[in-house]
Amino acid sequence: MGIRERKERERERRRQQILVAAKRVFTDKGFSKATMYDIAKEAELSQGTLYLYFKNKDELYSYLSLRILQYLMIRLEHVRAEPVSGVTQRLNALKNAMYDVYEFDPLILINMFHMQSSETLKKLSPDIVDQIDKLSRSALKVMADIFEDGIKNKRLVDYKPVVVADIFWSLFSGIILWETSKKMIDGEKDFLKTTLDTAFEIFFRGISLN
Amino acid sequence: MGIRERKERERERRRQQILVAAKRVFTDKGFSKATMYDIAKEAELSQGTLYLYFKNKDELYSYLSLRILQYLMIRLEHVRAEPVSGVTQRLNALKNAMYDVYEFDPLILINMFHMQSSETLKKLSPDIVDQIDKLSRSALKVMADIFEDGIKNKRLVDYKPVVVADIFWSLFSGIILWETSKKMIDGEKDFLKTTLDTAFEIFFRGISLN
Amino acid sequence: MGIRERKERERERRRQQILVAAKRVFTDKGFSKATMYDIAKEAELSQGTLYLYFKNKDELYSYLSLRILQYLMIRLEHVRAEPVSGVTQRLNALKNAMYDVYEFDPLILINMFHMQSSETLKKLSPDIVDQIDKLSRSALKVMADIFEDGIKNKRLVDYKPVVVADIFWSLFSGIILWETSKKMIDGEKDFLKTTLDTAFEIFFRGISLN
Amino acid sequence: MGIRERKERERERRRQQILVAAKRVFTDKGFSKATMYDIAKEAELSQGTLYLYFKNKDELYSYLSLRILQYLMIRLEHVRAEPVSGVTQRLNALKNAMYDVYEFDPLILINMFHMQSSETLKKLSPDIVDQIDKLSRSALKVMADIFEDGIKNKRLVDYKPVVVADIFWSLFSGIILWETSKKMIDGEKDFLKTTLDTAFEIFFRGISLN
DNA sequence: GATGAATGAGGTTTCATTCAT
DNA sequence: AATGAATGAAACCTCATTCAT
């Protein structure tokens, strides 16, 4: 391994260290109440160092969204790559993938929508906006492909695959957001997993033929 | 009408005027980038005046959530109050109610989740936290009642009504959030209504017997 | 006097108060070592208040240049307005005007050239760049007019009036800069006035016929 | 050549390399907006290395002034060393020397005055302050000598030679500063050379007898 | 000698909130 | 009741300088 490569790897490790710290802090306090100082402290680095790895607070933040999308993509590829089996198994695999995504970062989705303000988007480097755009498209595409399979095999209702994928993803994130919100407000017990289970069941019934 | 009452009414009018302005500004810039100055200007009032009607920025903000919940509640009551008819009609009425809520304030849901940060909740007066809590419970309750009806009549699958209501609400807000987000990022055309239609169809298929 | 007018006047007074403080601080420390905190303290205001009157540090700074140009302009108008007399008297009046400008703000010229970095110019509002531009043109114009008079009357050498004015102004500011610099470096006594006297004498001899 | 000497020479070469880069950067951005990183990049060295050759930013900066003074000194010595000729030829030679100085570094004079802030001077090592002091004195001395010659020969007006030299230098740097400044602000064409010509002509007329 | 990642003090700037009018 | 100038704490961010490699 060349020296240059080692450096690059070291740099990547640092970025991850910062992202992990940032995730904790953002999750805990939300975007606007979290300060760069908090994140630096959590990462056991100085504030200045954060700026060596991320252009500004907004950009650091968006890399978190990117990260969860990347993880989602990896899991979805996995589902797609599995030896072809029946629709039922595939939908099941899809469900499990979503559970994993949730485990990977149960709270970040809450803040993920912070990015939508166009004011915020303007400050991001086009590169990252582009990446986020591409990744979410790809992820949706993979999901759509899975549904399309089922539709072609006359196992699923003939909706547009892209729309079904959109709804699937909306349902998933909507539940996480809402259940988390309820928990925050009245400290209820964590019914999320059960709710998610039921939701998937309803959804799959809803798109299945017979 | 007593003088006291007139004053109270006047005061309420002012509050609404501020809330309308705040909605526009928050929707446009997101919570953290919106300033009290922006809101004051939009409301054609001074910054100081805002504080005569709302304790602080967080509280002003949460009244917006309260407002949409109140509207939701009004529409739901309406659905419940309708002369009892078949499940299909009631689900249809429910669907229409949701469209109305969306028309009433298509974007505020995006920011509504800002509130969930427990740091934010701490700064709100207990009174408003309480109101939000009550209202969302009631709204969910009405929805649950509607589903329960169908379940009792053996027209709907025997899930827990509360859970079905939760999922229904999550699906609705998830789609709004996601579709809006897509539109922001790549300026796609507005497919929201169609997606929402399909989503409701799938959902209703999913919970229906036969 | 209307209330609006009074407010405007009050606002102008505040601006001047800040400019006076800023002049002292910039003169004392130079542009980059002077902080907004220093200026605020000197003006007995808070840092935030400075930003109510000036967009940023660079802009606050440039208003100082504007101020000296305005004073220069006033004095020059005075010279031009004087009942027409011989060239000698007018040049003398011009000389005195320059002495006054020097008294008005003996050190600010040192820093005035800070502005020239195009990086700095970019951050200024076009309005102020425009004003500075116009004022310095006008001032140069008045000087050129005076020289033109003498040239037409065959009392001065036939150089282009604009160029003569440029040289006159350069000589003046060059001497102030250089003498101040010498004083700073080796604390020599203040020969500026004498040097300025001799310089003007040489210059006037240099442009006079016979 | 001993090894020690070779090392010293190598070290000197490096210093010059840094100074050349620094000149470019300072000229481009002005003192305070230029960063050590910018300079290092321009010099194709690392930031740390700069500190092996110069104590700090201020010191690096002042060596640039030193450098132009050194060049000025070399050219002036040349003028003085020329086989004695008439005053006219000598003044002409002096004029050409100044043109050369201007060619050597047309913009650095703008920033040269940054140094005058006493706050800046305090941070410089006494050594360099001393050198700058000595060099500028010597340069002025050579100029004064030339003028003294003319005065003794009854060709120039009997002003104090030192003062005449001061004025000459002020005129020169004043014009460079002012013309550069005008060019920056309104992008006018480069009349500097012409203006400089006229200025010298006026100055020489002004100090000449008859 | 050279590097450049890391530091952290300190700068500029913002903005929720207050309070005299 | 309404104002809006003023505050000042605290945020983001920069950058000269250091030091382990």
Side-chain angles (χ1 to χ4, degrees), chain A:
Chain A
M1 176 165 61
I3 201 167
R4 189 194 178 86
E5 197 182 338
R6 177 150 53 238
K7 284 240 164 120
E8 190 48 48
R9 195 168 294 199
E10 180 59 31
R11 187 174 166 81
E12 189 51 33
R13 228 176 47 73
R14 227 347 107 84
R15 285 175 68 91
Q16 292 306 322
Q17 170 190 359
I18 294 171
L19 285 171
V20 167
K23 179 174 115 177
R24 266 203 287 269
V25 176
F26 280 131
T27 291
D28 204 40
K29 307 202 166 187
F31 179 78
S32 52
K33 318 263 164 168
T35 72
M36 292 303 266
Y37 175 79
D38 293 334
I39 296 169
K41 213 173 53 183
E42 180 74 28
E44 293 179 316
L45 288 169
S46 73
Q47 292 186 66
T49 305
L50 302 187
Y51 287 87
L52 295 177
Y53 294 89
F54 299 93
K55 213 178 73 190
N56 56 40
K57 193 185 171 187
D58 278 321
E59 187 137 329
L60 169 51
Y61 190 84
S62 353
Y63 271 99
L64 287 177
S65 303
L66 203 53
R67 216 156 148 267
I68 205 173
L69 283 174
Q70 281 164 339
Y71 184 79
L72 171 66
M73 201 50 204
I74 290 169
R75 284 300 284 106
L76 287 176
E77 289 289 10
H78 216 247
V79 173
R80 176 154 66 179
E82 269 171 15
V84 188
S85 47
V87 171
T88 320
Q89 280 104 327
R90 298 204 93 190
L91 291 184
N92 222 48
L94 189 56
K95 191 172 81 176
N96 288 327
M98 300 319 269
Y99 285 148
D100 285 355
V101 170
Y102 170 69
E103 299 282 354
F104 176 72
D105 198 344
L107 294 179
I108 195 66
L109 270 170
I110 294 176
N111 293 316
M112 189 165 159
F113 294 95
H114 145 85
M115 244 175 36
Q116 287 134 14
S117 145
S118 55
E119 303 270 322
T120 303
L121 281 172
K122 259 179 252 159
K123 289 180 66 181
L124 298 179
S125 49
D127 174 53
I128 190 176
V129 175
D130 208 53
Q131 278 192 64
I132 288 177
D133 191 36
K134 274 212 187 92
L135 260 176
S136 55
R137 278 174 197 281
S138 313
L140 261 300
K141 182 67 169 45
V142 176
M143 292 194 249
D145 285 351
I146 294 170
F147 294 122
E148 193 170 16
D149 244 33
I151 293 165
K152 278 189 177 146
N153 297 334
K154 309 278 187 202
R155 303 291 311 277
L156 301 181
V157 179
D158 183 23
Y159 296 116
K160 286 177 104 172
V162 173
V163 174
V164 180
D166 260 13
I167 293 169
F168 180 67
W169 174 251
S170 299
L171 178 63
F172 172 68
S173 47
I175 284 175
I176 289 177
L177 287 169
W178 178 243
E179 295 293 314
T180 311
S181 144
K182 281 202 311 186
K183 209 167 40 175
M184 288 280 179
I185 289 181
D186 47 50
E188 253 174 34
K189 290 227 318 282
D190 187 358
F191 290 131
L192 194 143
K193 270 280 177 58
T194 347
T195 308
L196 219 43
D197 260 337
T198 311
F200 284 144
E201 199 177 311
I202 292 174
F203 179 78
F204 292 151
R205 273 179 57 93
I207 60 171
S208 298
L209 288 170
N210 302 70

Side-chain angles (χ1 to χ4, degrees), chain D residues 66-204:
Chain D
L66 205 51
R67 217 155 146 267
I68 204 173
L69 284 175
Q70 283 165 339
Y71 184 79
L72 171 66
M73 203 46 207
I74 290 168
R75 285 299 282 105
L76 288 176
E77 289 288 10
H78 217 247
V79 173
R80 177 154 65 181
E82 270 170 14
V84 188
S85 46
V87 171
T88 318
Q89 280 102 330
R90 300 206 91 191
L91 291 185
N92 222 48
L94 188 57
K95 191 172 82 176
N96 290 327
M98 300 319 269
Y99 284 147
D100 285 356
V101 170
Y102 170 69
E103 300 284 353
F104 176 71
D105 198 343
L107 295 179
I108 194 65
L109 271 169
I110 294 175
N111 293 316
M112 192 166 158
F113 293 95
H114 148 83
M115 242 176 38
Q116 287 132 18
S117 141
S118 53
E119 301 277 319
T120 303
L121 283 171
K122 263 180 244 159
K123 290 180 68 181
L124 299 179
S125 54
D127 174 50
I128 189 175
V129 175
D130 209 51
Q131 279 191 64
I132 288 177
D133 191 36
K134 276 216 185 86
L135 260 175
S136 55
R137 277 175 198 282
S138 311
L140 262 299
K141 184 65 170 44
V142 176
M143 293 194 249
D145 285 352
I146 294 170
F147 294 122
E148 194 170 14
D149 246 30
I151 294 166
K152 278 193 179 144
N153 297 335
K154 308 280 186 201
R155 302 294 309 279
L156 302 181
V157 180
D158 183 25
Y159 296 117
K160 284 176 104 175
V162 173
V163 173
V164 179
D166 261 14
I167 293 170
F168 181 67
W169 175 250
S170 300
L171 179 62
F172 172 67
S173 47
I175 284 175
I176 290 177
L177 286 169
W178 178 243
E179 294 293 314
T180 312
S181 145
K182 280 202 310 186
K183 211 168 38 176
M184 288 281 178
I185 288 181
D186 50 51
E188 255 174 33
K189 290 226 319 281
D190 187 358
F191 291 133
L192 196 143
K193 271 279 176 60
T194 346
T195 308
L196 219 43
D197 261 337
T198 311
F200 284 144
E201 198 178 311
I202 291 173
F203 179 77
F204 291 151

